[in-house]
Amino acid sequence: MWLWGFLLACEPEVRTEYVTETITETETITETETITETEEICGTIEGKQPCDFILIDENGDEVNFHSLIGKPVILDLSTMWCYPCNQAAAEVQSTQDAYPELTYLTILIENDERLDPSALDLEDWTVEHGITSAPVWGGSRDVITADPTDSSEFYLRSWPTFYFLDAELRIVGYQRGFDQTIIDAWAEDLINPE
């Protein structure tokens, strides 16, 4: 009886095996299949793909971040009230025009009142800065974090913050603050990876 209790107290084995037997006239074939359940882990450190999340575009329509898979991405996390963000925005369209092989995405986190931006805010931003073909999406503080460890939110210490992603949306670089020379260098690296 104590042996039965001991066996019941054992922890289950981590892997699952399915055994299938096929019997023919002269032989028995046994197949063993091991199924390992894995969870795709997303993150915001170099080499990982950020988790998918939903934003809004200037029409107020919901858009998925992962809809950008297929082209390298320059991701600009900005606010409408930030002066360097406005400087960066003035260069978005010329950068998008110079590098049509990539997507230059601006995600506005806050409007001038430090609230989540509306579709009208996004439209005003694109008109003010002459952005015609680069997407401008609205987010919230839910997509950023001040914690530099790997998480599902983008690490941000200053406005603007840039992430550089390959065509599979894996993070290959990060830049705090705006410097057009650095943006151009990353654009070249993204479209001509080694």
Side-chain angles (χ1 to χ4, degrees):
M1 185 67 148
W2 68 272
L3 179 59
W4 182 250
F6 175 75
L7 290 174
L8 289 177
C10 292
E11 291 191 27
E13 191 171 323
V14 173
R15 64 183 211 184
T16 305
E17 291 187 5
Y18 297 94
V19 178
T20 306
E21 288 189 12
T22 306
I23 301 175
T24 63
E25 289 180 0
T26 58
E27 63 183 308
T28 302
I29 301 171
T30 303
E31 297 177 24
T32 302
E33 177 184 358
T34 302
I35 298 175
T36 306
E37 294 183 23
T38 59
E39 180 181 318
E40 184 64 35
I41 299 175
C42 52
T44 54
I45 60 171
E46 191 170 325
K48 286 195 175 181
Q49 182 185 69
C51 297
D52 199 10
F53 52 94
I54 296 173
L55 303 152
I56 61 164
D57 65 14
E58 66 273 5
N59 300 316
D61 297 326
E62 290 186 347
V63 287
N64 288 67
F65 182 70
H66 282 184
S67 67
L68 297 172
I69 290 175
K71 289 173 90 173
V73 175
I74 295 174
L75 172 60
D76 171 5
L77 298 168
S78 285
T79 67
M80 296 180 79
W81 50 261
C82 151
Y83 179 72
C85 300
N86 280 275
Q87 287 180 306
E91 299 297 326
V92 168
Q93 191 57 53
S94 62
T95 304
Q96 182 66 75
D97 291 343
Y99 304 100
E101 306 90 344
L102 58 78
T103 299
Y104 193 129
L105 169 66
T106 302
I107 297 179
L108 290 175
I109 304 298
E110 293 180 343
N111 64 15
D112 287 328
E113 289 80 35
R114 297 184 187 240
L115 302 172
D116 294 351
S118 67
L120 183 58
D121 291 326
L122 302 176
E123 186 180 344
D124 289 348
W125 182 265
T126 60
V127 169
E128 179 182 344
H129 297 292
I131 301 170
T132 57
S133 64
V136 177
W137 294 349
S140 70
R141 285 195 168 264
D142 292 342
V143 300
I144 61 172
T145 182
D147 182 0
T149 59
D150 188 23
S151 70
S152 59
E153 297 88 22
F154 291 100
Y155 172 58
L156 188 132
R157 279 188 52 200
S158 64
W159 301 106
T161 292
F162 295 88
Y163 278 84
F164 306 97
L165 302 100
D166 67 14
E168 296 300 316
L169 294 186
R170 287 184 305 263
I171 295 171
V172 295
Y174 167 88
Q175 173 65 37
R176 286 185 295 143
F178 172 64
D179 182 329
Q180 187 60 40
T181 305
I182 293 173
I183 301 295
D184 289 337
W186 272 107
E188 289 288 338
D189 288 348
L190 288 170
I191 62 174
N192 298 307
E194 293 180 15

